Amino acid sequence: MSTGIIGKTPTRPTSGNEHEVSKVQKECKNQLPGYAGFIAGIFSGVAKLAVGHPFDTIKVRLQTAEAGRFNGAFDCVRKTISNEGFRALYKGASPPLVGWMVMDSVMLGSLHNYRRCVKDYMYPHESKLTLTGHCIAGMLAGWTVSFVAAPIENIKARLQIQYDAKTKLYTGPIDCAAKLVQQNGIAGLYKGLFSTMIFRSNFVFWWGSYEVFTQAFKKHTQLSNPAINFWAGGLSASVFWITAYPSDVVKQYIMTDSVTSPKYQSWWSACKAVYQTKGWGGYWRGFTPSFIRSFPANAAALAAFEAVLRTFH
């Protein structure tokens, strides 16, 4: 009589193939769904905006203001609040409010899936994704999110440099978007796409260093996972801004340039203009608020992202 269905199954040696099947099934069970990163990225965007937007406003103003308008980051903060009120620090926040949610959802969601693809197709025999794999996935995620980030950052930057009624060209983000399209079609919204992709290519350093910091904290400290995410997120974002900042300045020059009568015909012409008008220091103008912002904003964002991912387990 057969005993394989009801009752105790006879003991027999387990083949190597069954071990492999069991291993694959275990990996699949522990693997997060592809949409998890996109959902977690939304929460990351909200956290990043709440903490980081005032720093970003000061950064953009310092990057693009004419010489002599501000004596530094603290002077810019003082004059902004004194002349326009505290809410001026959140000028241009409406696009990022939605924009950071969308951008971080696309960036972190695509990063999550690129990591899986790179691991499966480039490093199938490794037990985990290599550091090089993390760098490749980071760069691909940077290029992907550029197509979402360019129009959002374009509108944000133009709103942030409206100082008073004389410089006010747009009543809000919708009016800004409409006028850009009216003036130059959809290309008006995507002005600065190439410079955005150059800037976000530096995600190689962000996500590579994030993996290095994460593994170092796991190996050498007793920190909890949320604490590791917080510190690794903040430190890796600082690494990113050190490497990427000059290209961000060039990007802002292009994005705040006239749509109808542009000064800069290419990324390289804008790059040269920074040096010609402000010297080597021009590539680092506004770095202090950006660098100060990078740690708390991104530490909070990545802690939120990883916390939501853990709920999917």
Side-chain angles (χ1 to χ4, degrees), residues 14 24 43 47 75 137-138 143 151 157 240 243 301 307:
T14 305
V24 170
F43 291 86
D75 183 56
W143 290 346
F240 165 71
T243 58

Side-chain angles (χ1 to χ4, degrees), residues 180-228:
L180 289 174
V181 172
Q182 183 181 18
Q183 291 168 337
N184 203 32
I186 195 69
L189 276 178
Y190 274 89
K191 185 177 178 65
L193 173 61
F194 180 67
S195 62
T196 301
M197 295 183 75
I198 291 176
F199 167 66
R200 291 178 186 275
S201 294
N202 290 281
F203 277 13
V204 164
F205 302 105
W206 188 351
W207 298 110
S209 62
Y210 182 72
E211 175 65 9
V212 171
F213 286 127
T214 297
Q215 295 306 320
F217 283 131
K218 285 182 177 179
K219 184 177 180 180
H220 300 292
T221 74
Q222 299 297 319
L223 292 173
S224 64
N225 283 333
I228 289 174

Side-chain angles (χ1 to χ4, degrees), residues 35-53:
Y35 60 82
F38 294 99
I39 295 175
I42 294 173
F43 291 86
S44 168
V46 172
K48 186 180 293 183
L49 175 87
V51 176
H53 191 78

Side-chain angles (χ1 to χ4, degrees), residues 151 154-155 158-159 162 165-191 255 257-261:
N154 193 357
I155 294 169
R158 292 178 185 278
L159 292 174
Q162 295 189 148
K166 294 180 180 179
T167 59
K168 191 170 184 177
L169 299 175
Y170 315 107
T171 58
I174 296 176
D175 179 59
C176 182
K179 286 179 178 175
L180 289 174
V181 172
Q182 183 181 18
Q183 291 168 337
N184 203 32
I186 195 69
L189 276 178
Y190 274 89
K191 185 177 178 65
M255 286 186 165
D257 193 14
S258 170
V259 177
T260 54
S261 302

